[in-house]
Amino acid sequence: MKYLIILSQITVAISVAYIWVIRYHNVVKEFNLFGLSDITRNFTGATKISLATLLVVGIWYSSLVFIPSVLMGVLMIAAQYFHFKISNPFIKHLPSLILLILCAFIALSSIQ
C-alpha cells in the first residue's frame, strides 16, 4: 500500500509539471476560454507546482503530504467547475478528475 501511495504522489507531481511546463501553451488557451486573468493563471500554476513539489518531498517527510494533497484536490475541483462552466466534453474533464481522485486517495491514506 505504501508504494501505491508513493506512486500516486509521483504521478500527481509529474502530471502537474508536464501540464504546467511542457504543455503551458494549452493552459494559456484553457484559461482564456475560462475567462480567467493571466494573474490567476500564473498564481494557479505557481501554487500547483509548489504543491506538487511538496508531494514529492512528502515521500521522505510524510507530515508534508496531507495539506498539499487536499489543496491540490481543491484546485482540481475548481478545474472541474470551470470545465463544466464552459460545457467542455467529458474527455477534457478526465485529467483533472483523475488527479482529483488521486489527491483524495493520497489525503485519505496520509491520515491513517
Side-chain angles (χ1 to χ4, degrees):
M1 183 70 153
K2 178 182 177 182
Y3 294 111
L4 188 58
I5 297 166
I6 291 171
L7 180 63
S8 298
Q9 289 171 250
I10 292 170
T11 301
V12 170
I14 289 173
S15 298
V16 167
Y18 177 76
I19 292 165
W20 283 90
V21 176
I22 306 295
R23 297 196 37 108
Y24 185 72
H25 63 281
N26 191 49
V27 171
V28 171
K29 289 178 192 174
E30 283 191 348
F31 271 71
N32 288 337
L33 286 173
F34 297 154
L36 298 171
S37 69
D38 292 347
I39 292 172
T40 302
R41 182 191 66 229
N42 293 337
F43 177 77
T44 302
T47 302
K48 283 187 175 185
I49 290 171
S50 298
L51 293 172
T53 302
L54 286 172
L55 286 175
V56 171
V57 173
I59 294 170
W60 297 278
Y61 300 98
S62 60
S63 63
L64 295 175
V65 173
F66 180 72
I67 292 173
S69 61
V70 168
L71 293 176
M72 185 73 78
V74 168
L75 290 172
M76 294 307 155
I77 290 170
Q80 288 293 306
Y81 167 78
F82 283 105
H83 284 296
F84 277 113
K85 181 181 173 186
I86 64 168
S87 301
N88 267 343
F90 180 72
I91 195 75
K92 296 273 189 168
H93 294 254
L94 203 52
S96 59
L97 181 60
I98 291 169
L99 292 178
L100 173 59
I101 292 167
L102 287 174
C103 288
F105 171 69
I106 294 165
L108 291 172
S109 299
S110 70
I111 58 175
Q112 295 177 0

